[in-house]
């Protein structure tokens, strides 16, 4: 087709009534489905799965709630790899860590792409490499992020993480009922210093608020099935005032929020650099590199610095904030775990100081508590879907190029072969003879994702998780709340729904273990200021 013909065709399509676009899309996906079906017959079968309906395929089989549990039912019925055809989009559901590790880890060159997303482009998240297609832009941002988040570099952040943990304890003593908020503020304060060199305010900090608001829009924007435009991209062209165009108005509001999250703290760092008052940070370091260049190279380096600095928060925030909140829920539900952890901390750390990172290797039970927090309640139950770049074969089955590949992390965390009685919070499942048992699957191998798409902030997140729960257990007691009649309120282990899940609000009481423990917090605060 010539350029003139192509242009004429495009104008002809766009001049048609808006309702025609979804119809044409449906015809197109029907054709794609037909051609993919023919390709899959070249000596290999597609993986098993629910029987598709004409035209719409398995669109009605794709769950919109409790996706982890419902996808697990499919894999229990059909096997570790299940095929769905949702309106022409091939989907591969992986029901075991072994299958996910084979495809997404060992064959990561073929499974590191992302599904094209209209919402990414129109809701302000075009800059985040979490959703970027696999390519040069993604690789460059990933490379820059890695230099700040690999294990050797993360160690330099330990004094900051230790200081913020003490401030976290102080906030819990002052306002124990606001513990869920304190978790968010503590991590926000830590990562804001790492990313931008910004010291945040104790209350109502605008930069922490901007990040929180931005992450909230991300959590809504990318829930699978939430927006029809992700299935029918041509709907992007309908006016916002047209029936069904409400998503465009919503996306416009979210775009402003997402860009403010990205731009506001970066702008403050640029102002500090100009004044010569900037603290060492990811943003200031990357801008130092950018300023060695000129023209377009400088502008490109500035954009990289802006994007990577903003991404640092998301790289660890989703897992850390949710998992620390889950820790409080677990302690309220399982008081016997607190007793064992305290006994270990008392023996290793003693009564005269707070825990530090040097204690980590001597605290196997506490390490097991952290692992169980990661396993017990899935933060990102389905991860972010990968996309296959080329046709592939697995266990004799054909996996078409362009398939959305979903690793059911929620199901992996509940595999009874590895985790008997999976709904119970039981750190001892990771221990043998008083040491971490290497024969038990470490949840760190799947909760942070796979292959080249693994969370780059995982080492920072693990360190933050350790020091926060060690500090809390050494100094504070978390108990179940009581009602006005003195009856104990049993917490319910329930998570919110979204791409990122958090514990639903629950009551508990938080008090110092003793007067000596409260004094440790006070002394720690004096040293932290």
């Amino acid at each position: 087709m010539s350029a003139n013909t192509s242009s004429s065709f495009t104008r002809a399509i766009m001049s048609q009534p808006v309702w025609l676009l979804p119809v044409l899309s449906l015809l197109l996906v029907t054709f794609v489905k037909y051609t993919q079906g023919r390709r899959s017959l070249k000596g290999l079968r597609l993986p098993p799965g629910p029987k598709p309906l004409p035209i719409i395929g398995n669109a009605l089989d794709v769950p919109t709630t409790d996706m982890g549990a419902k996808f697990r039912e499919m894999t229990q019925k059909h096997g570790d790899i299940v095929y769905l055809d949702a309106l022409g989009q091939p989907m591969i559901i992986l029901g075991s860590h072994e299958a996910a590790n084979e495809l997404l880890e060992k064959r990561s060159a073929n499974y590191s792409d992302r599904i094209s997303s209209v919402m990414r482009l129109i809701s302000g998240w075009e800059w985040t490499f979490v959703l970027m297609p696999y390519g040069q832009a993604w690789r460059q941002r990933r490379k820059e992020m890695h230099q700040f988040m690999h294990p050797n570099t993360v160690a330099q952040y330990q004094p900051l993480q230790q200081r913020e943990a003490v401030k976290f304890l102080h906030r819990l003593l002052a306002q124990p009922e606001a513990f869920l908020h304190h978790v968010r503020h503590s991590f926000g304060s830590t990562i804001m210093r790492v990313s931008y060199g910004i010291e945040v305010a104790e209350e109502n900090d605008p930069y922490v608020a901007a990040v929180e608001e931005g992450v909230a829009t991300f959590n809504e924007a990318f829930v699978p099935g939430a927006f029809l435009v992700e299935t029918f991209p041509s709907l992007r062209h309908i006016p916002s005032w047209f029936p069904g165009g409400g998503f465009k108005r919503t996306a416009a509001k979210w775009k402003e929020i997402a860009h403010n999250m990205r731009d506001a703290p970066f702008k403050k760092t640029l102002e500090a650099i100009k004044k010569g008052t900037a603290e060492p940070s990811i943003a200031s370091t990357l801008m130092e590199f950018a300023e060695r260049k000129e023209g377009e190279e400088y502008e490109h380096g500035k954009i990289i610095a802006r994007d990577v600095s903003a991404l640092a928060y998301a790289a660890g925030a989703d897992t850390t904030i949710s998992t620390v909140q889950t820790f409080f829920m677990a302690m309220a539900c399982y008081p016997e775990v607190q007793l064992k952890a305290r006994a270990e901390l008392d023996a290793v750390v003693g009564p005269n100081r707070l825990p530090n990172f040097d204690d980590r290797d001597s605290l196997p039970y506490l390490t097991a508590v952290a692992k169980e927090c990661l396993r017990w309640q899935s933060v990102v139950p389905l991860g972010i879907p990968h996309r296959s770049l080329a046709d592939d074969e697995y266990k004799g089955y054909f996996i078409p190029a362009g398939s959305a590949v979903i690793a059911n992390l929620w199901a992996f965390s509940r595999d009874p072969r590895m985790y008997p009685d999976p709904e119970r919070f039981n750190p001892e499942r990771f221990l043998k003879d008083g040491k971490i048992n290497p024969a038990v699957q470490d949840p760190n191998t799947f909760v942070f994702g796979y292959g080249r798409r693994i969370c780059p902030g995982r080492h920072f997140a693990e360190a933050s998780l350790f020091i926060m729960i060690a500090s809390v257990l050494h100094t504070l007691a978390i108990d179940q709340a009581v009602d006005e009649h003195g009856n104990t309120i049993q917490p319910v282990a329930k998570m919110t729904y979204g791409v990122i899940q958090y514990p639903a609000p629950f009551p508990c009481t938080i008090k110092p273990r003793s007067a000596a423990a409260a004094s440790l917090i006070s002394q720690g605060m004096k040293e932290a200021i």
Side-chain angles (χ1 to χ4, degrees), residues 76-123:
Q76 287 175 337
K77 180 178 181 179
H78 299 287
D80 280 358
I81 178 169
V82 168
Y83 179 82
L84 299 173
D85 181 335
L87 292 169
Q89 172 60 60
M91 298 176 63
I92 302 293
I93 312 301
L94 303 177
S96 71
H97 169 67
E98 293 80 5
N101 190 62
E102 174 62 35
L103 296 182
L104 307 183
E105 187 75 37
K106 296 181 180 178
R107 308 185 196 181
S108 61
N110 190 43
Y111 291 94
S112 293
D113 201 16
R114 293 295 195 209
I115 296 295
S116 177
S117 168
V118 173
M119 290 302 292
R120 179 180 80 88
L121 299 176
I122 68 174
S123 66

Side-chain angles (χ1 to χ4, degrees), residues 123-345:
S123 66
W125 291 96
E126 73 286 346
W127 52 274
T128 173
F129 73 65
V130 174
L131 301 173
M132 271 185 182
Y134 186 65
Q136 181 59 32
W138 176 85
R139 282 191 289 268
Q140 188 168 8
R141 286 160 176 77
R142 173 74 182 202
K143 178 183 176 183
E144 298 296 354
M145 176 68 79
H146 179 72
Q147 69 171 306
F148 298 102
M149 289 294 170
H150 66 74
N152 293 335
T153 302
V154 164
Q156 72 177 314
Y157 307 133
Q158 289 180 359
L160 173 62
Q161 291 171 309
Q162 183 93 40
R163 190 190 75 169
E164 290 298 334
V166 174
K167 294 168 73 173
F168 177 55
L169 297 177
H170 181 72
R171 294 186 195 104
L172 288 171
L173 280 184
Q175 291 181 300
E177 70 282 357
F179 66 97
L180 294 177
H181 167 73
H182 297 327
V183 173
R184 289 185 169 277
H185 186 279
S186 180
F187 189 84
S189 178
T190 304
I191 201 64
M192 202 62 69
R193 283 293 301 273
V194 171
S195 292
Y196 301 104
I198 294 175
E199 184 81 38
V200 305
E202 280 296 313
E203 295 292 336
N204 303 317
D205 184 85
Y207 302 108
V208 172
V211 171
E212 289 295 324
E213 197 174 15
V215 172
T217 71
F218 180 93
N219 208 23
E220 289 189 62
F222 301 105
V223 173
F227 294 96
L228 191 60
V229 71
E230 298 286 53
T231 303
F232 296 109
S234 60
L235 291 174
R236 178 183 180 179
H237 300 292
I238 69 174
S240 60
W241 51 263
F242 195 81
F247 73 91
K248 298 190 77 171
R249 297 190 293 273
T250 299
K253 295 177 183 176
W254 286 348
K255 184 173 184 177
E256 186 176 336
I257 292 170
H259 282 187
N260 182 56
M261 165 190 168
R262 179 195 67 186
D263 298 341
F266 185 66
K267 182 179 179 181
K268 183 176 178 64
T269 301
L270 291 182
E271 291 171 354
I273 291 173
K274 188 175 181 179
K275 295 176 183 177
T277 59
E279 296 287 334
S281 67
I282 293 174
S284 63
T285 301
L286 291 177
M287 280 306 299
E288 183 181 339
F289 295 153
E291 287 170 352
R292 298 172 188 171
K293 302 172 184 178
E294 296 179 353
E296 290 186 6
E297 288 189 352
Y298 164 76
E299 292 298 331
H300 180 69
K302 183 179 177 181
I303 289 172
I304 295 294
R306 179 200 67 187
D307 293 356
V308 171
S309 303
L311 286 162
Y313 185 95
D318 52 0
T319 298
T320 308
I321 292 174
S322 177
T323 305
V324 174
Q325 292 179 349
T326 293
F327 158 75
F328 279 90
M329 182 165 64
M331 295 304 98
C333 292
Y334 296 87
E336 68 277 10
V337 172
Q338 277 192 81
L339 295 176
K340 293 177 181 179
R342 288 177 192 159
E344 183 180 67
L345 284 160

Side-chain angles (χ1 to χ4, degrees), residues 499-512:
V499 178
I500 305 167
Q501 296 190 157
Y502 302 92
F506 61 95
C508 68
T509 63
I510 302 171
K511 299 177 181 177

